[in-house]
Amino acid sequence: MKVERVISRVSLRRTIESGTEEQRRAVLEIIAAVRARGDEALKSYTEKFDGVRLDSLRVTDEEIETAYQHVSEEALRIIREAAENIRDYHERQKKESWITAKEDGTMLGQKITPLDAVGLYVPGGTAAYPSSVLMNVIPAQVAGVKRIVITSPPNKNGTLPAGVLVAANELGVKEIYKVGGAQAIAALAYGTETIRPVDKIFGPGNIYVALAKREVFGQVAIDMIAGPSEIVVLADETANANEIAADLLSQAEHDERASAILVTPSMKLALAVASEVEKQLETLPRKAIAASALKNYGAIYVTETLAEAVEVVNELAPEHLEVMTAEPMQLLGQIRHAGAIFLGRFSSEPVGDYFAGPNHVLPTNGTARFSSGLSVDEFVKKSSIIFYSEPALKRNVEKIAAFARLEGLEAHARAVEERFKK
């Protein structure tokens, strides 16, 4: 990894893939075909892109039972315990409806209502992560969403990964479909004979999935257009170089466009980490992917002071931030921009990915400056409640009417004045 002194502004921003015009046209064609031909189009595209012809799109009880045979008892216990931790954390995020009354009889409030139906897209292949099923489904359940749908591209044998099916079944999700790509997003947005439409779509995918989510936005809501994973480690001279190197590699192995950065005021630590990364990289199974990520999006920034290092971190606004300093809690109040903050040497980033409880679906590409990780809030909507009493309206009618006329809306003014005509 390259080690450099910070002499100018730094950024994590990478170009968000918007696709080529050819890819966008292909996505529009797929969406139109699914809207016109429904299930038949889904099966046709599944055969074309995934190499399997399906008789039925829906996962059967038999397939779920078979999946359990491929998941060890230990793995099942871990999934269940992780689910308990995630549920406990998200239960604390729940908000209640509220209403307040004034002396004049006016009542104002807010009604919290869960979405009716949500869809979770689970990528296929090596990116089929049971942890993502837990992280998306559990907050939806805590919010009170009644219908949760999972779609995922099938393997060559026409099944879904065992871990995904087991995780979904452990949470009680029964509506699971073997369909992926842009066609799955179209089905979730517009519906087919088999798949009823949802209100909001969650989950990452390839460029075709990302483009499809953009195209259907407005018909349905979407969570975000997810970017490559990233980690920033903020460390001082007390940190362990081997631990930092391991944590940087934990994100670099995700994707060739993943970013892994160390920010430190210690040149000695910086050089030690650079050496340790090269050493650990040699034995990493996903060495080629991690090496490419580090070459293009990895860096070690050396600052003059720890305070300057904190400011660099806030400029980067990372998805994952590890604070590995002598007194990490003392820096918490100074951290303004980060998707998730891991404090201390025993809070390695994978703790949050799998087990601690907070959600691992987080803002990337510097968007932690203005957005938050996935939470229960993403699965509810809020309605204002207004009950104005006669005395309250009578006291304010002239002001409301005047405001309406200020904007040139006479009918608005007359609407409130009508209540008090003799």
Side-chain angles (χ1 to χ4, degrees):
M1 293 180 71
K2 50 185 178 288
V3 179
E4 56 187 276
R5 289 279 185 184
V6 175
I7 57 174
S8 61
R9 293 183 64 85
V10 293
S11 174
L12 268 174
R13 292 194 68 78
R14 291 149 287 175
T15 302
I16 296 216
E17 293 180 279
S18 55
T20 64
E21 187 58 33
E22 182 180 358
Q23 288 171 325
R24 185 170 181 271
R25 283 198 301 269
V27 166
L28 290 173
E29 180 181 312
I30 290 170
I31 293 173
V34 172
R35 294 187 70 180
R37 304 189 344 252
D39 284 356
E40 190 276 322
L42 295 181
K43 292 177 180 179
S44 176
Y45 284 124
T46 300
E47 184 173 19
K48 178 179 179 180
F49 298 130
D50 302 305
V52 58
R53 181 70 185 181
L54 299 175
D55 294 325
S56 174
L57 297 170
R58 188 161 183 165
V59 169
T60 64
D61 291 341
E62 289 74 23
E63 287 175 287
I64 293 174
E65 290 173 8
T66 300
Y68 274 85
Q69 299 172 18
H70 298 281
V71 175
S72 68
E73 284 297 323
E74 181 185 10
L76 185 57
R77 284 194 298 271
I78 292 171
I79 287 173
R80 287 171 176 169
E81 188 172 349
E84 289 179 8
N85 295 341
I86 295 165
R87 191 174 300 278
D88 178 70
Y89 182 86
H90 288 81
E91 284 282 355
R92 301 170 194 275
Q93 295 179 335
K94 288 174 68 174
K95 292 183 174 66
E96 301 295 332
S97 300
W98 60 270
I99 195 163
T100 183
K102 297 185 177 181
E103 291 183 1
D104 61 8
T106 297
M107 290 188 291
L108 303 174
Q110 187 176 75
K111 184 178 184 294
I112 308 293
T113 307
L115 301 180
D116 287 342
V118 300
L120 167 59
Y121 184 86
V122 178
T126 59
Y129 301 133
S131 61
S132 291
V133 175
L134 303 182
M135 292 290 182
N136 282 271
V137 170
I138 290 174
Q141 291 177 330
V142 171
V145 176
K146 299 301 182 187
R147 180 172 169 251
I148 300 172
V149 183
I150 291 177
T151 66
S152 186
N155 300 321
K156 297 296 183 183
N157 61 2
T159 64
L160 296 186
V164 168
L165 289 181
V166 167
N169 189 67
E170 286 295 310
L171 300 178
V173 179
K174 299 298 184 184
E175 201 173 338
I176 310 170
Y177 299 100
K178 296 177 286 187
V179 56
Q183 59 272 26
I185 303 302
L188 290 171
Y190 296 102
T192 69
E193 299 91 328
T194 298
I195 304 174
R196 289 182 290 132
V198 300
D199 300 312
K200 191 170 183 177
I201 300 173
F202 296 81
N206 62 19
I207 183 61
Y208 294 96
V209 170
L211 289 174
K213 287 172 72 175
R214 283 178 173 169
E215 292 297 335
V216 302
F217 177 66
Q219 172 69 23
V220 293
I222 62 172
D223 53 350
M224 65 178 76
I225 304 297
S229 186
E230 59 204 30
I231 184 172
V232 170
V233 178
L234 171 64
D236 62 15
E237 68 281 354
T238 66
N240 295 303
N242 59 318
E243 294 172 1
I244 294 174
D247 290 354
L248 293 174
L249 288 169
S250 75
Q251 295 308 292
E253 74 171 353
H254 262 300
D255 185 288
E256 290 184 350
R257 298 184 71 232
S259 176
I261 293 174
L262 167 64
V263 184
T264 179
S266 170
M267 179 61 78
K268 180 180 179 181
L269 178 68
L271 295 173
V273 169
S275 175
E276 187 65 28
V277 165
E278 295 303 319
K279 178 182 176 182
Q280 294 186 24
L281 186 60
E282 287 303 311
T283 58
L284 202 64
R286 294 169 69 91
K287 175 183 175 181
I289 293 173
S292 178
L294 292 173
K295 178 181 178 181
N296 296 308
Y297 303 105
I300 298 176
Y301 295 125
V302 181
T303 61
E304 292 295 331
T305 65
L306 186 58
E308 185 184 354
V310 171
E311 284 308 305
V312 171
V313 166
N314 283 324
E315 282 187 35
L316 291 169
E319 176 187 20
H320 306 103
L321 170 64
E322 290 187 358
V323 183
M324 300 177 70
T325 60
E327 299 291 342
M329 290 297 293
Q330 290 185 6
L331 297 179
L332 182 57
Q334 300 172 44
I335 304 298
R336 301 192 307 278
H337 308 308
I341 304 169
F342 299 77
L343 299 169
R345 62 178 293 212
F346 298 107
S347 304
S348 178
E349 189 278 338
V351 173
D353 266 354
Y354 300 111
F355 208 71
N359 211 287
H360 75 195
V361 180
L362 300 165
T364 60
N365 211 40
T367 59
R369 290 178 294 110
F370 52 78
S371 57
S372 309
L374 187 65
S375 71
V376 172
D377 287 346
E378 298 295 321
F379 297 91
V380 301
K381 55 192 179 69
K382 300 158 188 171
S383 303
S384 301
I385 300 170
I386 302 167
F387 176 87
Y388 239 48
S389 64
E390 181 179 353
L393 183 56
K394 191 171 186 178
R395 188 174 66 254
N396 294 301
V397 64
E398 292 181 2
K399 289 175 278 189
I400 296 168
F403 210 141
R405 291 188 174 106
L406 180 65
E407 296 187 344
L409 298 173
E410 180 62 26
H412 280 63
R414 293 180 184 180
V416 290
E417 291 174 336
E418 188 69 26
R419 268 72 179 168
F420 301 103
K421 278 189 175 181
K422 292 183 180 180

